[in-house]
């Protein structure tokens, strides 16, 4: 072994070098980048698909809803007849007593609000804080958004999506189309959806020939169409039908919905 310049032996010392820590950091950075990339991609896809569907359903009938699918699956599971009674009818081909009836029963501010009844929502929130419930906090627009694009079970996530779709249909569809879709997809009895099938099954007529009393009776069962029957109304449905018919007259009849925004 060679001596150093001072006559001593040359010694070799190995330094305790640590492995660079940049690799884990780089992996974490790559993972975050991928997550961000997919989050942006999924968000863009969601907006594109949701807006595309809303635009499409402005012009074409809604083919099926989550409620229809759920009812069919329940019937199959129970061994019952699973046929869905659903026949689309245009707004022009339905008696205007039908849209007036649902407005009078469910959402009298419908012609004027922009999708939300904030006073009713505030009242519902206050009632819920006290352990009570207030029916009717959702507008017709919100109900359409839920029925066409979402699911029935309640959750804050669904409510957020419901607000989003309500804004979209108010902007893109307009009031007349919202009413048209509502009257076609709303559940109106066992396996029965829409005012055309309800008219045929309960009154042996079509939606174009519905009278005020008949339209009011259909609207009367909407809060619970499985529990209550328009074909065989009990005392409660009869009282509610009379109350809705009175409200229809008080609103001024079909003139109340003559100038609905159609865009």
């Amino acid at each position: 072994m060679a001596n150093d310049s001072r006559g001593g032996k040359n010694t070799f010392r190995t330094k305790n070098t640590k492995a660079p820590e940049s690799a884990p950091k780089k992996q974490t950075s790559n993972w975050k980048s991928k997550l961000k990339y997919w989050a942006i991609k999924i968000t863009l896809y969601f907006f594109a698909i949701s807006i595309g569907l809303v635009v499409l359903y402005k012009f074409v009938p809604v083919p099926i809803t989550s409620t229809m699918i759920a009812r069919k699956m329940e019937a199959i599971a129970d061994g019952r007849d699973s046929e869905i009674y659903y026949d689309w009818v245009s707004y022009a081909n339905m008696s205007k007593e039908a849209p007036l009836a649902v407005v009078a029963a469910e959402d009298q501010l419908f012609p004027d609000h922009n999708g939300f009844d904030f006073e009713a929502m505030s009242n519902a929130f206050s009632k819920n804080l006290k352990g009570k419930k207030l029916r009717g906090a959702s507008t017709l627009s919100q109900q359409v958004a839920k029925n066409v694009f979402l699911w029935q079970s309640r959750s804050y996530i669904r409510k957020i999506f419901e607000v989003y779709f309500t804004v979209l249909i108010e902007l893109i569809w307009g009031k007349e189309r919202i009413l048209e879709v509502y009257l076609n997809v709303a559940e109106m009895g066992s396996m029965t959806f829409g005012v055309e099938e309800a008219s045929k099954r309960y009154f042996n007529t079509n939606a174009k020939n519905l009278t005020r009393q008949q339209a009011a009776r259909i609207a009367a069962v909407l809060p619970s169409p499985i529990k209550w029957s328009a074909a065989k109304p009990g005392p409660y449905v009869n009282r509610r039908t009379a109350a809705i018919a009175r409200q229809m007259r008080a609103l001024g009849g079909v003139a109340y919905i003559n100038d609905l925004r159609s865009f």
Side-chain angles (χ1 to χ4, degrees):
M1 186 177 290
N3 293 338
D4 62 16
S5 58
R6 293 169 295 179
K9 288 185 177 181
N10 196 11
T11 58
F12 297 91
R13 296 177 182 174
T14 53
K15 294 184 179 178
N16 245 347
T17 55
K18 293 183 179 179
E21 296 181 0
S22 57
K25 289 182 178 179
K26 190 174 287 185
Q27 288 177 0
T28 303
S29 177
N30 287 340
W31 179 81
K32 287 182 178 179
S33 296
K34 286 181 180 178
L35 185 63
K36 184 179 180 181
Y37 167 79
W38 280 107
I40 293 172
K41 193 169 185 177
I42 290 169
T43 301
L44 290 175
Y45 274 128
F46 169 74
F47 281 120
I49 292 171
S50 60
I51 293 172
L53 279 175
V54 172
V55 171
L56 178 67
Y57 288 157
K58 178 179 174 66
F59 303 104
V60 303
V62 177
I64 198 167
T65 68
S66 62
T67 306
M68 295 178 194
I69 295 171
R71 294 290 180 253
K72 192 171 187 70
M73 297 303 292
E74 289 167 6
I76 292 172
D78 294 341
R80 296 182 283 110
D81 180 9
S82 63
E83 182 179 358
I84 296 291
Y85 296 92
Y86 173 51
D87 188 9
W88 184 277
V89 61
S90 69
Y91 190 81
N93 285 323
M94 62 177 71
S95 165
K96 296 307 172 285
E97 299 291 353
L100 176 64
V102 297
V103 168
E106 300 283 314
D107 185 5
Q108 294 189 8
L109 297 179
F110 178 76
D112 301 315
H113 65 58
N114 292 315
F116 306 95
D117 185 345
F118 293 105
E119 183 177 351
M121 291 166 69
S122 176
N123 290 338
F125 182 72
S126 299
K127 294 283 186 181
N128 288 333
L129 286 179
K130 298 174 183 177
K132 300 177 182 178
K133 290 183 179 179
L134 179 68
R135 190 189 67 77
S138 291
T139 63
L140 289 174
S141 302
Q142 288 174 274
Q143 292 180 53
V144 169
K146 176 189 67 178
N147 289 340
V148 174
F149 300 104
L150 303 171
W151 57 96
Q152 292 296 323
S153 61
R154 295 181 180 181
S155 68
Y156 288 113
I157 293 175
R158 198 213 71 189
K159 269 295 179 186
I160 292 169
F161 283 122
E162 183 182 297
V163 169
Y164 168 73
F165 278 107
T166 299
V167 172
L168 278 187
I169 64 175
E170 281 279 341
L171 288 173
I172 297 173
W173 288 3
K175 296 292 187 179
E176 187 175 296
R177 180 62 174 178
I178 290 172
L179 262 186
E180 180 180 46
V181 173
Y182 179 85
L183 283 160
N184 275 286
V185 303
E187 189 174 21
M188 296 183 175
S190 178
M191 310 300 284
T192 304
F193 293 84
V195 67
E196 181 70 4
E197 279 297 338
S199 301
K200 291 176 183 176
R201 301 194 77 194
Y202 307 144
F203 305 115
N204 197 31
T205 186
N206 54 43
K208 193 168 188 177
N209 295 320
L210 277 179
T211 66
R212 175 166 296 180
Q213 193 72 10
Q214 290 168 338
R217 194 193 296 179
I218 290 174
V221 304
L222 287 176
S224 189
I226 302 301
K227 179 181 177 182
W228 301 325
S229 172
K232 298 177 181 178
Y236 174 78
V237 171
N238 282 329
R239 289 196 302 271
R240 183 165 162 76
T241 298
I244 292 170
R246 286 195 299 271
Q247 285 298 310
M248 293 166 74
R249 287 192 294 272
L251 290 174
V254 295
Y256 187 69
I257 56 169
N258 274 350
D259 298 319
L260 292 176
R261 179 168 52 86
S262 58
F263 60 88

